[in-house]
Amino acid sequence: MTGSGGASVMVSGGAGYIGSHAVKGLLGRGYNVLTYDSLAEGHRQAVLGGDFFQGELASREQLDQAMSTFRPKIVMHFAAHCYVGESVEDPGKYYRNNVSNTLNLLEACRDNGVEGVIFSSTAAVFGNPVSLPIEETHPQAPINPYGETKLIGERMLRDFETAYGLKHTVLRYFNAAGADPEGQLGEDHDPETHLLPLVLKTALGKRDSVQVFGTDYDTRDGSCLRDYVHVTDLAEAHIMALQRLLDGGASDSFNLGNSLGTSVLEVIQTAERITGKKIKHQLCDRRPGDPAVLVADSAKMEKSLGWKPKYQDIEAILTTAWDWMAAHPDGYNKR
Ligand code: UFG
């Protein structure tokens, strides 16, 4: 892809897992980058360059300060809470951050001359799939507060464009996974609830075992199928979407996945092969709110923007995650 002409991009949540990979990609393409992050969950060490502003999305004052100084043309909005289970137990936390704080950010964008927003959305906006693979036109009927809050984010963007002309691109990730292939960045959540890091932590001896949530689904081995998509491929998708907005492209939404379903048991078996370790696992009851199968149809992103994931199978994705985890067994803070 060609360079940027030095456009200025503010990245909310740029110290987080997916945001930090996007910042790395932007810096490599010559964009001017400002990471805006509270560091409540992100890691300062994960921001590999550009400007940094430690601020809260809840603070209009801090947002205005950052935006009036940096004058971003485009904002990539990654900062959000993103655990389905937690959103069921503590919905207020999700509505506050993913809805109220996003509204705050959008109003700051409107008032500070931002031209467009690239928004991190999720497969969770679709709820239980009625058809597979999931296309952009699939009905949106979330089954948990996380998905609801992201859907509200999508709707706010639509309405802000109608009212104020603020453009947007919605990118709906399926299961983000893997780590920077150059080993500089990886996944470091606390607490960790995602399958791949939990499986690899078990291989590393940091956990005794991993639970398999449900073995009686109507799938090839009874465990859930998910569409794991590499975090660097997601970062690339953001840069393509950014360039498209800068080139005058219209607001739109895209689903991002590999269009390939991998089961929980297949993840464990593949991880055993890659790590050379036996990964102890317990077969457990289903986790509430988990659809049996979530697989993306990413043809629209491929046709419109030429996006094609480089990491197409779970083995390649797991290998990058394992390389990072083996080199950073305690995450960023204890290298
Ligand atoms: N799983 C286990 N054991 C675990 C953790 C997960 O068996 O200890 C299973 C889950 O049941 C699921 C699969 O592994 O079938 C993947 O689970 P994750 O928790 O890693 O990811 P989710 O599919 O729940 O969530 C992801 C994103 C969300 C997004 C969601 C869309 O993390 O942000 O996909 O449904 F909303």
Side-chain angles (χ1 to χ4, degrees):
M1 206 186 329
T2 52
S4 56
S8 296
V9 184
M10 179 169 128
V11 182
S12 84
Y17 172 45
I18 307 174
S20 61
H21 286 78
V23 168
K24 177 173 177 171
L26 288 166
L27 293 169
R29 299 309 207 299
Y31 290 93
N32 294 322
V33 182
L34 170 69
T35 294
Y36 186 96
D37 200 299
S38 69
L39 296 181
E41 291 172 22
H43 306 276
R44 183 66 183 86
Q45 306 95 307
V47 183
L48 297 179
D51 293 332
F52 182 80
F53 189 105
Q54 184 167 357
E56 302 284 340
L57 288 179
S59 166
R60 247 322 277 274
E61 205 184 326
Q62 288 180 329
L63 282 168
D64 284 340
Q65 201 188 329
M67 286 187 180
S68 60
T69 311
F70 185 72
R71 307 218 68 76
K73 229 177 171 175
I74 301 288
V75 169
M76 288 188 180
H77 179 32
F78 292 93
H81 294 314
C82 66
Y83 293 122
V84 171
E86 185 187 57
S87 80
V88 176
E89 283 154 26
D90 190 1
K93 178 174 177 182
Y94 281 70
Y95 282 91
R96 194 167 302 109
N97 194 31
N98 297 1
V99 177
S100 296
N101 291 346
T102 294
L103 175 58
N104 221 22
L105 175 69
L106 295 188
E107 289 183 326
C109 289
R110 177 198 61 196
D111 298 344
N112 284 281
V114 172
E115 291 174 17
V117 175
I118 299 178
F119 179 61
S120 300
S121 190
T122 167
V125 298
F126 296 113
N128 280 316
V130 293
S131 59
L132 287 163
I134 300 175
E135 295 175 34
E136 286 78 2
T137 51
H138 186 287
Q140 292 186 297
I143 55 168
N144 51 60
Y146 172 61
E148 289 286 358
T149 61
K150 285 291 181 176
L151 183 55
I152 295 171
E154 293 191 10
R155 297 211 162 125
M156 287 196 290
L157 284 165
R158 177 198 62 193
D159 296 342
F160 268 61
E161 173 162 39
T162 307
Y164 314 118
L166 179 66
K167 292 212 293 182
H168 63 266
T169 304
V170 168
L171 298 178
R172 302 190 190 109
Y173 322 144
F174 280 60
N175 286 61
D180 170 34
E182 290 167 5
Q184 291 180 290
L185 303 167
E187 189 166 8
D188 181 6
H189 294 122
D190 185 19
E192 187 54 80
T193 67
H194 290 128
L195 178 68
L196 266 67
L198 290 178
V199 165
L200 295 176
K201 276 178 197 285
T202 309
L204 210 54
K206 293 256 159 205
R207 296 175 59 94
D208 290 340
S209 68
V210 65
Q211 295 178 305
V212 176
F213 294 143
T215 51
D216 59 349
Y217 286 102
D218 185 16
T219 58
R220 51 184 175 262
D221 62 18
S223 64
C224 287
L225 301 188
R226 290 289 179 275
D227 185 339
Y228 297 94
V229 54
H230 198 276
V231 63
T232 299
D233 286 323
L234 292 179
E236 284 302 302
H238 282 78
I239 295 167
M240 289 176 168
L242 166 67
Q243 198 57 55
R244 180 177 159 280
L245 275 187
L246 291 172
D247 291 344
S251 297
D252 212 341
S253 307
F254 300 94
N255 293 351
L256 299 180
N258 270 306
S259 307
L260 190 77
T262 306
S263 78
V264 174
L265 291 169
E266 287 163 353
V267 166
I268 295 172
Q269 286 149 13
T270 311
E272 286 186 334
R273 257 201 326 276
I274 288 168
T275 62
K277 315 260 186 212
K278 194 89 201 112
I279 297 169
K280 209 164 130 199
H281 54 278
Q282 298 157 349
L283 305 181
C284 303
D285 289 343
R286 294 180 178 198
R287 185 173 69 174
D290 271 342
V293 182
L294 284 174
V295 175
D297 184 331
S298 298
K300 181 175 169 188
M301 187 69 183
E302 186 176 345
K303 276 195 206 107
S304 309
L305 285 148
W307 180 74
K308 217 174 160 44
K310 287 202 183 91
Y311 297 86
Q312 289 186 336
D313 58 61
I314 194 66
E315 189 146 348
I317 293 172
L318 268 167
T319 299
T320 61
W322 176 241
D323 288 347
W324 193 80
M325 194 173 282
H328 304 82
D330 296 307
Y332 283 103
N333 291 326
K334 297 180 194 141
R335 269 196 268 211

